């Protein structure tokens, strides 16, 4: 009897402790946000994706940089506008809106941002709430709202140019949400690099099993579904050795479900999640983007190796 | 920055441990009828946390009760870490021992089990599991064991609409159980899904090249004396 009571007490205490703490949520773990007081850009010494692009672009036109802040759901969102000169952007211009990945802040993606600028078009990059100088804490809905407000800012403060939305990795969640909700047709083309298929796909790829996404997160982002209502041309880039987001389960369903005019896609042979521009080659990467934006893309997908 | 990396790794590793039973083999030594045993194990897949790889400290409690002397015992388990995140993950099954270890001839434990998981919001899963364990009684206080855990997924389609390609997940393991009849300590190494690629899964684990995920576990068993009848 004493043994039974002891055993019951073991399980009782365990259960009680677990239930007390069962309010723990895994949602915040999806974001690897880091706050900063100022952007260091070329001077940043932390990890930068495609860092060699800074050296590669040293002799090209350097951007005129404006730091911009905008309001989104009570939070202040910071971003950088890169232009070739101080001339105002007009309605006839094309602007690339860049949604970065899950880690750190703009400084980490600064070389990537400069590569986009090297296409010859101005670039607007934002930090989602909780990232970099932006206030608040990142949430799924919050990041989507930040993306929408960035688009609204472009319309109202930058003379409503043609927008090319470039979304990388986690940025594809707000990217597809914003593109799908763009009733005014402000976004003319969409570029998805190593996108997330859906939050459920993340869970099922990680577990190898058909586990519900709700086991892990309340996030419901589903780009493979959202893309069905996006009819603008799509350019998809994904590496065959993407160790983070499997190409077949994440990017491919988006590409297949996209009903609009396809742009083209690049299969970056042997490329990992962060190295697509490196694998493709910076010059070729810039040319491919420029061709896509100028509607001069090849019809068939291309496989590019290092 | 490392703190935040660790958070993300924890998330995705939690996904991993939800499915592929992250605990030691609960009952290597046979139980007499009515005899009870409680166990606790901690460990998990070796995962990158910050800049180092460590076995994740995933916790699990078990309870076994002998049904037939040295031949059949009931086994139940509760995965505590999942519960901390609002997922009830429990297991129930039996350990059937058709023959015992004699000298160098191994004993055999056949362990069919069911795992039930729910997040209390409509999501629930039931997975059958079959463990086949061979064990050697090297000494009164030392057991060596090795075996193969088999997880079965019967869905043909995943929740994201894609084809469910993995229907049989293999987890070979090897370990040792050391201690008295009352207290035993266990060290166990597992290789999760050695036949499947470990890339494209948003988490970095140590495996064998691009395949499998290595896991390490420590366990402790408390087995009180034979219950008075």
């Amino acid at each position: 009897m004493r043994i039974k009571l002891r055993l019951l007490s073991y399980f009782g205490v365990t259960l009680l402790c677990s239930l007390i703490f069962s309010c723990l949520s895994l949602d915040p773990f999806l974001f690897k946000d880091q706050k900063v007081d100022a952007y260091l850009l070329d001077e940043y010494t932390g990890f930068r994706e495609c860092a060699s692009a800074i050296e590669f672009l040293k002799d090209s036109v350097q951007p005129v940089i404006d730091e911009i802040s905008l309001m989104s759901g009570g939070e202040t969102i910071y971003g950088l506008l890169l232009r070739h000169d101080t001339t105002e952007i007009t309605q006839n211009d094309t602007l690339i809106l860049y949604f970065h990945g899950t880690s750190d802040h703009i400084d980490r993606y600064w070389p990537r941002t400069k590569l986009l600028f090297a296409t010859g078009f101005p670039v607007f990059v934002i930090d989602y709430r909780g990232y970099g100088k932006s206030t608040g804490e990142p949430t799924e809905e919050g990041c989507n709202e930040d993306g929408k407000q960035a688009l609204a800012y472009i319309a109202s403060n930058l003379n409503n140019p043609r927008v090319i939305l470039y979304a990388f990795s986690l940025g594809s969640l707000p990217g597809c949400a914003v593109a799908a909700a763009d009733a005014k047709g402000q976004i003319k083309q969409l570029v998805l690099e190593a996108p997330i298929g859906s939050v459920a796909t993340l869970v099922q790829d990680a577990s190898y099993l058909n586990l519900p996404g709700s086991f892990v997160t309340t996030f419901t982002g589903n780009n493979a579904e959202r893309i069905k209502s996006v009819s603008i041309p799509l350019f998809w880039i994904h590496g065959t050795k993407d160790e983070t987001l499997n190409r077949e389960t994440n990017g491919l369903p988006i590409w297949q479900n996209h009903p609009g005019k396809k742009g083209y896609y690049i299969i970056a042979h042997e490329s990992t999640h962060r190295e697509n521009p490196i694998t493709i080659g910076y010059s070729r990467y810039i040319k491919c983007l420029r061709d896509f934006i100028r509607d001069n893309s090849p019809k068939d997908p291309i496989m590019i190796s290092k | 920055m490392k703190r935040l990396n660790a958070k993300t790794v924890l998330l995705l590793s939690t996904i991993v441990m939800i499915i592929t039973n992250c605990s030691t083999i609960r009952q290597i030594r046979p139980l007499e009828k009515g005899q009870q045993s409680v166990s606790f194990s901690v460990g998990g897949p070796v995962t990158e946390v910050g800049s180092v790889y460590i076995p994740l400290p995933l916790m699990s409690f078990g309870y076994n009760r002998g049904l037939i002397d040295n031949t059949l015992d009931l086994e139940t388990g509760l995965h505590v870490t999942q519960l901390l995140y609002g997922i009830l993950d429990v297991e129930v099954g039996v350990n059937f021992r058709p023959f015992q270890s004699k000298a160098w001839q191994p004993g055999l434990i056949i362990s069919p089990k069911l795992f039930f998981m729910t997040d209390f919001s409509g999501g629930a899963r039931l997975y059958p599991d079959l463990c086949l364990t061979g064990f050697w009684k090297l000494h009164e206080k030392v057991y060596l064991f090795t075996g193969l855990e088999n997880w079965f997924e019967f869905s043909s389609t995943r929740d994201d609409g894609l084809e469910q390609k993995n229907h049989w997940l293999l987890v070979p393991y090897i370990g040792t159980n050391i201690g008295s009849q009352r207290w035993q300590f266990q060290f166990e190494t597992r290789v999760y899904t050695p036949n499947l690629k470990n890339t494209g899964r948003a988490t970095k684990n140590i495996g064998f090249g691009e395949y499998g995920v290595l896991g390490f576990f420590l366990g402790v068993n408390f087995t009180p004396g034979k219950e008075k009848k």
Side-chain angles (χ1 to χ4, degrees), chain A residues 26-36 44 47 49 100-109 127-132 136-139 143 168-171 196 202 219 243-245 273-274, chain B residues 1-12 48-51 201-204:
Chain A
L26 290 165
D27 287 357
F29 301 159
L30 278 178
F31 301 106
K32 292 190 272 186
D33 49 304
Q34 191 181 43
K35 291 188 187 296
V36 293
Y44 183 63
F47 179 79
E49 296 198 8
H100 65 60
T102 187
S103 296
D104 303 345
H105 45 78
I106 286 173
D107 278 330
R108 179 189 178 101
Y109 303 96
D127 261 334
Y128 318 112
R129 61 188 62 194
Y131 284 77
E137 292 297 326
T139 62
C143 289
F168 169 57
S169 190
L170 175 88
I196 294 172
L202 286 182
F219 291 2
E243 74 288 7
T244 305
L245 297 170
H273 189 65
R274 298 194 297 234
Chain B
M1 193 163 97
K2 287 181 180 175
R3 178 182 64 84
L4 295 163
N5 284 341
K7 286 191 338 183
T8 304
V9 168
L10 179 59
L11 161 76
L12 293 155
E48 186 187 41
V49 178
S51 57
R201 297 169 52 251
T203 180
K204 288 184 181 173

Side-chain angles (χ1 to χ4, degrees), chain A residues 19-265:
Chain A
L19 290 175
I20 288 169
F21 293 105
S22 64
C23 54
L24 289 175
S25 167
L26 290 165
D27 287 357
F29 301 159
L30 278 178
F31 301 106
K32 292 190 272 186
D33 49 304
Q34 191 181 43
K35 291 188 187 296
V36 293
D37 296 326
Y39 296 116
L40 300 177
L41 308 181
D42 283 350
E43 309 306 317
Y44 183 63
T45 55
F47 179 79
R48 296 187 295 191
E49 296 198 8
C50 304
S52 56
I54 298 293
E55 177 68 16
F56 174 79
L57 295 168
K58 70 176 183 190
D59 295 327
S60 53
V61 177
Q62 296 302 304
V64 175
I65 304 165
D66 294 313
E67 187 171 292
I68 284 170
S69 63
L70 55 98
M71 294 306 294
S72 172
E75 303 297 346
T76 305
I77 303 303
Y78 283 85
L80 299 176
L81 177 64
L82 286 68
R83 291 180 292 169
H84 290 84
D85 51 44
T86 53
T87 313
E88 273 202 352
I89 294 167
T90 71
Q91 198 168 14
N92 295 325
D93 287 332
T94 295
L95 177 143
I96 299 173
L97 174 60
Y98 181 48
F99 291 167
H100 65 60
T102 187
S103 296
D104 303 345
H105 45 78
I106 286 173
D107 278 330
R108 179 189 178 101
Y109 303 96
W110 179 240
R112 284 176 163 273
T113 309
K114 289 186 85 171
L115 283 171
L116 296 181
F117 179 73
T119 59
F121 303 101
V123 179
F124 183 35
V125 54
I126 62 161
D127 261 334
Y128 318 112
R129 61 188 62 194
Y131 284 77
K133 291 182 68 176
S134 298
T135 63
E137 292 297 326
T139 62
E140 183 179 26
E141 297 78 15
C143 289
N144 292 348
E145 181 61 22
D146 299 343
K148 287 174 189 169
Q149 291 306 322
L151 195 62
Y153 181 90
I154 291 168
S156 56
N157 296 73
L158 299 178
N159 299 320
N160 200 21
R162 297 173 75 246
V163 173
I164 312 298
L165 178 52
Y166 190 116
F168 169 57
S169 190
L170 175 88
S172 64
L173 287 175
C176 287
V178 169
D182 179 30
K184 294 177 184 171
Q186 203 178 337
I187 303 168
K188 304 302 180 193
Q189 290 165 304
L190 177 64
V191 184
L192 296 176
E193 181 188 341
I196 294 172
S198 70
V199 174
T201 300
L202 286 182
V203 175
Q204 285 143 28
D205 279 355
S207 67
Y208 299 117
L209 294 173
N210 179 31
L211 285 181
S214 62
F215 271 23
V216 176
T217 174
T218 60
F219 291 2
T220 56
N222 189 336
N223 288 337
E225 277 302 307
R226 277 185 183 139
I227 202 70
K228 291 178 179 175
S229 57
V230 176
S231 57
I232 54 177
L234 172 65
F235 179 10
W236 169 44
I237 304 168
H238 218 127
T240 57
K241 285 229 166 172
D242 193 317
E243 74 288 7
T244 305
L245 297 170
N246 183 295
R247 194 181 71 86
E248 280 80 18
T249 54
N250 287 279
L252 189 58
I254 296 174
W255 176 258
Q256 290 172 333
N257 288 347
H258 176 240
K261 181 186 174 189
K262 310 278 192 199
Y264 68 115
Y265 72 83

Side-chain angles (χ1 to χ4, degrees), chain B residues 34-52:
Chain B
Q35 195 175 17
Q36 300 177 91
S37 174
V38 287
S39 57
F40 172 76
S41 76
V42 59
V46 181
T47 305
E48 186 187 41
V49 178
S51 57
V52 296

